[in-house]
Amino acid sequence: RKLKNIVQRYSPTERDVREATSNDKWGCPKTVLIRIADACYDLNKVKEALSIIWKRIGDRDKYWRHVY
């Protein structure tokens, strides 16, 4: 995931949302959730976060955990 974040040039907000919606069996740290919540006060960062969220909602099959 870290390599893909670098290669795809994801913004810090997009990286946080990817981490929060990852397929890992453990939850993400509260600090990540707080950064995502803080980003919601900036319109540009909201658009970045929602672009990843909408992509995750469309995931199927083995990636069901992304949207659970």
Side-chain angles (χ1 to χ4, degrees):
R1 183 177 324 128
K2 290 180 183 182
L3 180 61
K4 189 171 183 179
N5 286 340
I6 294 169
V7 171
Q8 294 292 331
R9 296 183 180 171
Y10 287 124
S11 71
T13 302
E14 290 172 320
R15 281 183 252 150
D16 286 342
V17 173
R18 284 175 45 83
E19 182 177 351
T21 60
S22 71
N23 209 19
D24 295 336
K25 293 181 181 177
W26 53 85
C28 71
K30 289 183 183 180
T31 55
V32 172
L33 297 177
I34 290 169
R35 285 195 307 257
I36 293 170
D38 288 341
C40 290
Y41 291 102
D42 182 344
L43 184 59
N44 292 326
K45 291 180 181 179
V46 168
K47 290 178 183 179
E48 293 173 358
L50 287 177
S51 70
I52 299 294
I53 291 170
W54 284 117
K55 180 180 177 272
R56 298 291 205 197
I57 287 174
D59 288 347
R60 301 269 187 253
D61 301 328
K62 69 178 182 175
Y63 300 110
W64 64 270
R65 196 181 305 257
H66 287 167
V67 294
Y68 172 67

